[in-house]
Amino acid sequence: MPAEQYAIQTGTHPEVTTAKNIARYREQLSKIGFCYDWDRMVRTCDPDFYKWTQWAFIQMFNSYYDQEADKAKPIAELVKRFEKEDPTWATKTEREQQEILMNYRLAYLADTKVNWCPALGTVLANDEVSEGLSVRGGYPVEQRVMRQWSLRVSAYAQRLLEGLDRIDWSESIKETQRNWIGRSEGAEMLFQIKGLDEAFTIFTTRADTVFGVTFMVLAPESEYVQKVVTAEQQAEVEKYLQWVKTRTERERIADRKVTGVFAGSYAVNPLTNKEIPIYISDYVLAGYGTGAIMAVPAHDSRDYAFAKHFGLPIIPLIEGADVSNESFDAKEGVMMNSGFLNGMQVKDAIAAMKAYIEKEGIGRVKVNYRLRDAIFSRQRYWGEPFPVYYKNGMPYMLPEECLPLQLPEVDKFLPTETGEPPLGNARVWAWDTEHKQVVDKSLIDNKSVFPLELCTMPGFAGSSAYYLRYMDNHNNEALVSKEANNYWQQVDLYLGGSEHATGHLIYSRFWNKFLFDLGYICQDEPFTKLINQGMIQGRSNFVYRYIGEGATGNLFVSFNLIENPEYKDKVQPIHVDVNIVHNDLLDVQAFRSWLPEYKNAQFIYSDGSTDEDNPYIGQATPKQYICGWAVEKMSKSMFNVVNPDDIVAKYGADTLRLYEMFLGPLEMSKPWDTNGIDGVHRFLKKLWNQFENLSDDEPTPDELRSLHKLIKKVTWDIEHFSFNTSIPAFMIAQSELSKCSKKQILKEFAVLLAPYAPHIAEEMFSLCGGVGTVFDAKWPECNEKYLEESNVKYPVQFNGKVRFTIELPKTASREEVEKAVLQDEQTPRFLNGGSPKKIIVVPGKIVNIVV
RNA sequence: GCGGCAUUGGCGUAAUUGGUAGCCGCGCCAGACUUAGGAUCUGGUGACGCAAGUCGUGUAGGUUCGAGUCCUAUAUGCCGCACCA
């Protein structure tokens, strides 16, 4: 998208921009010393790669979800079934047959209400829209109906949900996906419309509350709206519907005021046979359930607010529930006012009512999912073309052997003047079915040459299965060979941001399960283990501009003084470039030359003095201006951006790597504060100095102990992704071994350090006589023999408080330890005249005496 | 509103199975070397207290010989979802 935006602005082909960005990223990754097997590189915009994206799309088009088998199957099997079971099938025209099949295909065309963004000339997915504005660009988005490709992700809802229990992902991201899938068990019920031979279906999770239904509500977009509007109400309803249309998504969400309108008609409560009014309100969403609800104001807070506003009756259904001021939403208590449900617990009442509904044929038990199908068309240029041509308005797939269908050249990357997507600008963009090739559009005759699809695929098309391609990226015969797939199986560890929770990580799982169903791959989940790395946040600094009486806009107050009465509420915090602040002290000269507006900046320093008090600022005893700080997103506008390239240039990649790990646990977000970096840099320098005069002497037991302690720690840390705790271990070992220059020790040290600080470790390894690269060296093994201590230092507690420690042989038995502690000269002091009530000895750990 | 995660010195953090809270680093303080220091080295640094000692892991309870760790409630912050029936 940025590449396409750039193309629109400058005419530079997105391919050029993308190639440049890839090169830049690769350079940066290399600079930091990341190891990748570049032979396995894939690029989703490369025709050799997107051939398989198109191939997968064709498979989805040619598949349906078999509910009984609970998996995807070839659509040919469904056709066979229709031929066998439906006598009218053969009498239908091809077009009719195709239209029916479209309701089953996993990739299908449908009229969808979409988020249309006029400024971008494109449709956005739900997760690409935020508060009525496009996530990228921030343009207004409106609702519009459009015929688009969709992927039937919803068919996999239950399996996507169940699969979560079998994968080792963070609880937070699994929970996010569970919520996104949104399974709810409930019932669908029919409500007759009075005076019409029509009924509409509602979905409810609270079947037990039917006796308390006092009105119905339809979503403004519901197809039933026109049917239930009476002549008298027509004008008012129209007015309301028009008003709803003008509301942006943002307003609909943010505004919690009750709005709605009476439709004029009544429905009949199937249990009480009472007539209840039908309303239209935008608090009911068209996209969820059936777009219609039965309102139970006593036990649903939104229904309650609506009933209060329109003066509708509220019937409490649970004994003891006070609904005079708010609804009682909890699913607990004993039923009342509910006919045959009276006296039952809510849970039992729900079950009883569901059974009743099915028995009486007024509805059915239903599981509802919030998860919606993914819209798969984009009105953009820079994406994978669909391998699709249109015959009589019906889509047909290109033969698989003709893939990839390459993206055509266009003059401009904008939508056409007639509102077609950018591919409408391509001249050579028609499919010749006889010669099986792309030909000039002027040749379209709708007999053997047909128009090609003008939309392209979205970003997640290429990113959904790329990991499978890593397994076998040079294979021209298959996405991945059986052999390669059986060898690699699935991704062992996926390290990624949590922002992908409801997008990429759902689509990938869907895509993978689909390929699994068709037998192309051997695992139904793509990513065994997933870790969300924390975000590196920015640490901003502030100066405080005086805005009180007599302010010139040029005076800045030190942070430590801003709470003083003369400055309190009279200063305005202003972001200042973190690069001219050191340990929260402002470089005032640099500040004055930073931006022209600060050229004549004056300061009230930390001791309350001003520039005039000391004309020799910056010389003998510099006064200090203290800055405030805050943790915020790293962003240019907050002047807290730190470029890794600059850090590498100044300290080297190894220091950058060590410091980044040192900041804290992998999964945790943390602020980047360059000020602490000297610590790890010093460590590397000190360690490096030990390699000056290397010796071949035999190591002492102490040296071996330090080394093997380190081996044990670092090995454990790596296996547990606890890289931050390794750095202190290295520092401690370095400090213990600071006098050691023995190759035997330092060589192993270098091997341990290699994953953390690869460049310097490689040098160190070589200096110690290591052969080849350190990365091929055998990982050191911890020998417990060197760690054994003959004595244990027991902390001795009295009533849980540590009073002293006592050193005893490791072999001492429980009784011996107890005896030794009681005989210790310090013990009587803490017994305080009393006698030990109980003595707990944990061998090798601790002693606790209860007095 | 629902769900997840977090809360430990001035700061980033550590404490791996319920067993000496604060490792390591930054910052700060003192000293050494130095013409000088945003260099290097050494020592100190949770709070209160002269000390013995007392207190101390957001808050309030609980379990336990013993709780940063387990349980209950609660506050605050961050993230995700949301007029979701």
Side-chain angles (χ1 to χ4, degrees), chain A residues 287-338:
Chain A
Y288 186 78
T290 61
I293 62 156
M294 58 175 215
V296 187
H299 302 287
D300 181 288
S301 52
R302 288 152 304 148
D303 296 348
Y304 187 88
F306 195 86
K308 280 278 176 183
H309 187 264
F310 286 95
L312 296 159
I314 296 166
I315 309 172
L317 302 171
I318 291 171
E319 286 177 15
D322 174 15
V323 296
S324 54
N325 285 313
E326 55 180 359
S327 61
F328 181 83
D329 290 12
K331 292 188 189 183
E332 57 192 36
V334 177
M335 303 300 299
M336 64 177 194
N337 294 335
S338 295

Side-chain angles (χ1 to χ4, degrees), chain A residues 537-551:
Chain A
Q537 299 159 311
R539 187 183 189 277
S540 315
N541 276 113
F542 299 93
V543 291
Y544 298 87
R545 175 151 63 193
Y546 181 68
I547 52 169
E549 217 169 299

Side-chain angles (χ1 to χ4, degrees), chain A residues 461-481:
Chain A
S463 66
S464 288
Y466 66 92
Y467 55 91
L468 291 169
R469 197 63 186 157
Y470 281 160
M471 300 173 185
D472 201 7
N473 64 327
H474 298 301
N475 191 336
N476 286 322
E477 304 303 314
L479 168 66
V480 53
S481 73

Side-chain angles (χ1 to χ4, degrees), chain A residues 390-509:
Chain A
Y390 288 90
K391 191 159 108 186
N392 298 325
M394 292 304 293
Y396 290 84
M397 297 294 118
L398 263 56
E400 281 181 29
E401 68 268 20
C402 299
L403 300 181
L405 171 64
Q406 295 215 24
L407 198 58
E409 287 304 317
V410 292
D411 304 332
K412 38 179 204 148
F413 303 98
L414 284 166
T416 67
E417 267 130 45
T418 55
E420 283 179 334
L423 290 194
N425 293 315
R427 249 185 324 116
V428 185
W429 197 240
W431 184 248
D432 183 334
T433 51
E434 267 168 35
H435 301 94
K436 295 190 176 178
Q437 58 180 2
V438 180
V439 295
D440 198 281
K441 268 201 303 205
S442 60
L443 299 174
I444 292 174
D445 58 6
N446 286 315
K447 292 193 181 81
S448 65
V449 180
F450 300 97
L452 280 160
E453 167 75 56
L454 297 181
C455 288
T456 54
M457 298 185 193
F460 73 82
S463 66
S464 288
Y466 66 92
Y467 55 91
L468 291 169
R469 197 63 186 157
Y470 281 160
M471 300 173 185
D472 201 7
N473 64 327
H474 298 301
N475 191 336
N476 286 322
E477 304 303 314
L479 168 66
V480 53
S481 73
K482 279 255 170 342
E483 297 73 43
N485 182 240
N486 275 324
Y487 176 77
W488 293 102
Q489 300 269 324
Q490 63 199 134
V491 176
D492 299 314
L493 172 67
Y494 185 110
L495 199 59
S498 53
E499 71 273 19
H500 294 127
T502 55
H504 165 56
L505 287 172
I506 290 258
Y507 300 134
S508 247
R509 293 181 62 219

Side-chain angles (χ1 to χ4, degrees), chain A residues 223-396:
Chain A
E223 56 189 85
Y224 289 106
V225 165
Q226 289 314 319
K227 295 180 181 169
V228 297
V229 177
T230 58
E232 306 87 75
Q233 290 299 102
Q234 184 76 40
E236 206 174 326
V237 169
E238 274 309 316
K239 210 172 100 194
Y240 183 69
L241 295 183
Q242 282 308 317
W243 177 75
V244 168
K245 258 188 209 160
T246 65
R247 298 188 92 196
T248 64
E249 188 104 341
R250 164 182 272 173
E251 286 166 340
R252 252 174 104 156
I253 287 171
D255 189 1
R256 281 172 182 262
K257 269 207 311 266
V258 175
T259 69
V261 62
F262 177 47
S265 302
Y266 293 82
V268 182
N269 185 324
L271 275 112
T272 62
N273 284 322
K274 274 195 191 133
E275 289 175 14
I276 48 179
I278 301 172
Y279 279 79
I280 297 160
S281 172
D282 67 354
Y283 84 89
V284 174
L285 304 179
Y288 186 78
T290 61
I293 62 156
M294 58 175 215
V296 187
H299 302 287
D300 181 288
S301 52
R302 288 152 304 148
D303 296 348
Y304 187 88
F306 195 86
K308 280 278 176 183
H309 187 264
F310 286 95
L312 296 159
I314 296 166
I315 309 172
L317 302 171
I318 291 171
E319 286 177 15
D322 174 15
V323 296
S324 54
N325 285 313
E326 55 180 359
S327 61
F328 181 83
D329 290 12
K331 292 188 189 183
E332 57 192 36
V334 177
M335 303 300 299
M336 64 177 194
N337 294 335
S338 295
F340 69 93
L341 300 176
N342 283 344
M344 287 187 195
Q345 287 290 326
V346 167
K347 220 178 89 204
D348 303 328
I350 292 176
M353 182 55 88
K354 277 182 181 173
Y356 179 84
I357 289 168
E358 296 231 305
K359 198 181 91 203
E360 298 293 314
I362 52 172
R364 62 190 180 119
V365 172
K366 174 92 194 284
V367 176
N368 207 27
Y369 298 93
R370 202 187 73 108
L371 184 70
R372 276 176 255 172
D373 289 343
I375 297 170
F376 201 58
S377 296
R378 295 292 182 272
Q379 289 65 39
R380 297 214 185 109
Y381 173 75
W382 192 230
E384 300 86 343
F386 283 89
V388 172
Y389 63 92
Y390 288 90
K391 191 159 108 186
N392 298 325
M394 292 304 293
Y396 290 84

Side-chain angles (χ1 to χ4, degrees), chain A residues 798-836:
Chain A
F798 290 80
N799 291 334
K801 285 194 200 315
V802 179
R803 294 304 177 177
F804 59 90
T805 58
I806 178 169
E807 195 159 325
L808 293 167
K810 199 182 170 185
T811 52
S813 71
R814 199 177 282 263
E815 291 72 27
E816 284 165 339
V817 172
E818 192 174 319
K819 206 170 137 201
V821 168
L822 288 175
Q823 283 173 354
D824 192 280
E825 55 180 9
Q826 298 188 73
T827 298
R829 214 173 108 222
F830 295 106
L831 283 176
N832 217 353
S835 62

Side-chain angles (χ1 to χ4, degrees), chain A residues 60-102:
Chain A
M60 289 181 194
F61 180 79
N62 288 326
S63 300
Y64 77 109
Y65 201 85
D66 185 325
Q67 297 296 339
E68 281 161 37
D70 202 15
K71 63 185 260 194
K73 283 186 176 176
I75 196 113
E77 290 187 25
L78 185 66
V79 173
K80 256 188 233 155
R81 219 169 101 184
F82 283 154
E83 284 167 350
K84 215 167 97 188
E85 295 171 7
D86 181 359
T88 67
W89 179 258
T91 68
K92 289 184 164 58
T93 63
E94 188 189 350
R95 193 193 167 85
E96 284 168 341
Q97 290 180 348
Q98 288 301 324
E99 270 168 5
I100 290 168
L101 291 178
M102 199 57 96

